[in-house]
Amino acid sequence: MSNIDWVLVILFVGFVLSGWVNIYSAVLDQEHINILDTSQKYGKQLGLILSSGVLVFIILMLDGKFFEKYSGLIYMVSMVSLIGLFIFGKEVAGATSWYGIGSFSLQPSEFAKFATALALANFLSSPNISLKKVKTQIKAFAIILLPAIIIIPQPDPGSALVYAAYLFVLYREGLNGHYIFIGFLTAFLFILSIIIDYTYIIGIATILTITVSVIRKRKKKSISIILSYFLLSTLFLTSFDYVYDNILEDRHRNRLEIMLGIKHDPSGVGYNQHQSMVAIGSGGWTGKGFLEGTQTKGDFVPEQSTDFIFCTVGEEWGFAGSALFIILFSGFIARILFKAEQQKLAFSRIYGYSVAMIFFFHFAINIAMVTGIAPVIGIPLPFYSYGGSSLWGFTILLFIFIKLDSENHSVL
Amino acid sequence: MNRNLLAFAMLFLITIIFISRLFFLQVVNDSFKFESEKNARQRLVQYPERGYIYDRNNVLLVTNQPAYDLMVVPRNIETIDTLEFCKLINITKDSFLKRMKKAKTYSWRKPTIFVGELSKENFAFFQEKMFKFPGFYIQKKSLRKYPINSSSNVLGYVSEVSTWTLRNDSTGHYKLGDQIGTGGIEKSYEKELRGKAGVKYFVVDVHNRIQGSYSKNKFDTIPVNGKDITSTVDINLQQLGERLMSNKRGGIIAIEPKTGEILASITAPSYNPNLLVGRKRSINYSKLLDSVGKPLFDRGLLAEYPPGSPFKLINGLIALQEGVISTRTSWTCHHGFHHGSLHVKCHCGIHDSPQALHSSILRSCNNYFCQTYKLSIENYETAEIGMNVWSNHVKSFGFGKFLNNDLPTGRKGLVPSVAMYDRVYGKGRWKATFNISNAIGQGELLVTPIQLANMSAIIANKGWYYTPHIVKKIDGIDIDNPKFTEKKYTTIDELHFDPIINGMTAVFESERGTARASRIPEIILAGKTGTAQNAHGQDHSIFVAFGPVDDPKIAIAVFVENGYWGSRWAAPIATLMIEKYLNGEISRKKLEERIENGSLLDEYYKQEHPEKDED
Ligand SMILES: [Zn+2]
């Protein structure tokens, strides 16, 4: 116990408690003013926080080796629970991502994150593994993509997107940088293809490819790389066009198009985001004060207690409060990254890195969404958003690492 | 590159991006703050004062009166004592529920007029108790008020802007519930009169009570009042005309010849302009619309009548201009104009000796003007060419086309054309005698009283006119619209007007003049009586005049529907008006009284119930 990283624990407790207070403010009902009232979301969230404490206790009691040993099993159980949704799942807001147990809902995709992290860490830390080998790469990608592929059709593209975080883990563990580059390229081309017709982009890519090839004609190797990028881009673009028109639903398309400024529609699909920006923007330097947010009170921002909880922070605590939050959360992720690098065991390092990247993705996508930088992709802000599954999932994700880290010193 | 740096770099980058974004949203950009405070802020529209309207002597004709709308914002309503509320503003509970439902359907968040234009008492009661009714507040607006019950046709009225106008208003000036000028000067000078609304924001508490100004009035806009308009009408003259026309139907237009300013524009019957103000407007409007005398129909501008004998003046001028007659050219009238089987009767009474232009005007001889008209048309190789020349002359007096002035309504009238007769008789198969009625202002010819008054002004000016207009000054500055400040010339040379004017003078001054009975002591006038045939009933009484002859200050045209003949109603009315305008008072009190009390209602009743006539 004495080797626990208290910095992370204190930040965790701070996030969870301030998240609770913000949920209270976001959904406060004048008739249920007691923060402990369990008929309200804030009362429930307290129960969830306390039960998370139990989870923390259990994890810290377990032996660190336990997670490595049973990572395969945990992963399998998790995948089965995801597949089971197709049969037993409950539909909430158009997505079949939940199991309903009485009045209680459980979202297995929140637990699949740490399961995948464990499985990936276990696989990559086994002897004689090198990400330079194609076979290893295929296996590693299979571990990552399996949950994502199951989650997409539920449909929950937001949660699926988070699995891209593991790509950075693979890079850290030796995967060729081209994959990351291709990842960025993919995202870039995807957005570009929404704005302009993909045939033009292919045309531009062709010209670029030829130009670069001519300039660097002496290096045969680089030419082949450039050519393969070109072919990949072309392939991507044509398939994006297909994905965009046939796989994405109207709501996703609308969100993307509004985001990219193709559609302007403040009272339609972009309503949430616009209201969210209004709420945050109205906070000014120091905010309106606790429980004083007018936007927050007026139910202007739907999903304010879940995905849009940051609005409340922005409105009531202003630039001072929200900037402090950004810095603390970045610091929190940086601390995990830093700690992961210190791990002597590959398993702990890879797991820790996965944790950091998952938090990073959630943080980056959520804040970008509520501040209007990115389209509305429904994913929660760790520890802040209301919801049992996500709170538990993130708590487990974090505390397994804290546990692993606490045993680091004893590794020779 | 060290592989663990990428993650730190991304983290650092995203932190910078987020903090700058937040800085922009929260600190730099003001608009979000403004938008978010919608609930804690009340927006009160500051209606501008619509411009006043004065007569040419600065008598106030249109002013404003405050009115108070009771507004509601449904989402701000809390539990209230409905009974007390209903009592305060004098509505039933049923009506309350209906209004509330309507307001909620319109918008939950936007203010709606709950009760429009509260009475002064209701307003006072409600304002005292307003704090008890969160969600309700009072918005002041301004309504029109007409201190003098007159000239409703000239002034027009304002009404709520229509949805059609709203949809087609590209300037975005109007919004639902705004007022807009809908007739008369209110309509044609809407842009000048309306001003620009301002907005004032207040901080309110949860009960919607005003706590003070919002953001030090930073977002407020100040209303700009409308401009005042000085009309060309003389309200005394206008009121006299309306009085003289009581129990009669018709129109009077008086123009100052030297300027084209309309001194009076009267339609009868008329209505009290205060009827079309405020809450009762739409009810009164439909009543007026259904009224049998059609008070909303401005006869001075819109009624198209055959001009009758005054049109002989035009035919005389055309014949002089075309050189087909001289002032000495004479014909003997054998009780009318006879050509083959064509007979136009005449009651001029001079059947023993040939008469020339002068006596033909003063006795209004039909034969004389039929002869001159025939000569004018036959002066050319074909009747078509002659007809074209003739109709060009006529049109140069403003007949057969819109005057295109600053009144929102008008009619073209009708000047027959070659094409018209070609259609009826076939090309080249007609001649002057086919349309000889043009000679005496009957037949197809149609003119409006304002066109006829303009003709009178043209004769007074000996050949030119300014387009008759109704507005003299805007905010005290003379109008400079070239439409009204550029002279328009007719096709008739100045010298030809003298014999015509002499004839018109004799209409009053000669022993046998048709309007001798309407002379004004010590002022010499020029005029011409007219009687327009009316297929549906008694003939219309028409008169045109101007005076004084040596320096004309007023030109006038009077139409009295079913008024028998010109000298019976129209001539006395015209000369009473002229006398009033020139002298400031009327010396012929008895005449004034007789005309004012005279009624033609029986005639109108007969015309509207023809079957009774046959029994
Ligand atoms: Zn005669």
Side-chain angles (χ1 to χ4, degrees), chain B residues 333 346 348 351 355 365-367:
Chain B
C333 173
C346 180
C348 65
H351 309 299
Q355 53 179 327
C365 177
N366 284 347
N367 174 52

Side-chain angles (χ1 to χ4, degrees), chain B residues 160-177:
Chain B
E160 231 166 67
V161 62
S162 69
T163 43
W164 189 89
T165 310
L166 278 178
R167 230 178 297 132
N168 293 285
D169 170 32
S170 55
T171 60
H173 181 90
Y174 301 100
K175 54 187 181 0
L176 199 70

Side-chain angles (χ1 to χ4, degrees), chain B residues 214-258:
Chain B
Y214 172 82
S215 236
K216 292 178 188 151
N217 303 327
K218 194 167 118 193
F219 298 96
D220 295 359
T221 51
I222 296 164
V224 182
N225 287 341
K227 292 176 178 163
D228 292 343
I229 297 268
T230 306
S231 173
T232 56
V233 300
D234 178 323
I235 193 64
N236 289 326
L237 192 61
Q238 185 80 12
Q239 280 185 291
L240 172 69
E242 283 166 356
R243 262 196 297 119
L244 295 175
M245 287 299 281
S246 36
N247 295 322
K248 299 163 202 79
R249 291 180 192 166
I252 305 174
I253 302 284
I255 297 171
E256 185 177 66
K258 286 193 183 69

Side-chain angles (χ1 to χ4, degrees), chain A residues 168 171 175 274 277 280-282 284-285 288 294-295 300 314 318-319 322 330 334 341 353 357 364 367 371, chain B residues 1 3-4 6-8 10-11 14-15 17-19 21-23 25-27 32-33 35-36 39 109:
Chain A
F168 291 90
Y171 171 74
L175 186 71
H274 178 75
M277 280 155 68
I280 294 171
S282 67
W285 277 106
K288 297 172 186 170
T294 48
Q295 288 298 104
F300 289 110
F319 179 69
S322 41
S330 298
E341 292 293 345
Y353 220 86
M357 291 327 291
I367 303 297
T371 54
Chain B
M1 186 178 86
R3 282 181 181 264
N4 58 27
L6 177 66
F8 284 105
M10 288 194 316
L11 191 58
I14 206 87
T15 308
I17 289 172
F18 284 167
I19 290 183
R21 177 68 176 169
L22 287 167
F23 188 77
L25 287 180
Q26 302 185 296
V27 180
F32 293 117
K33 194 170 165 61
E35 196 173 328
S36 84
N39 308 315
R109 271 188 263 169

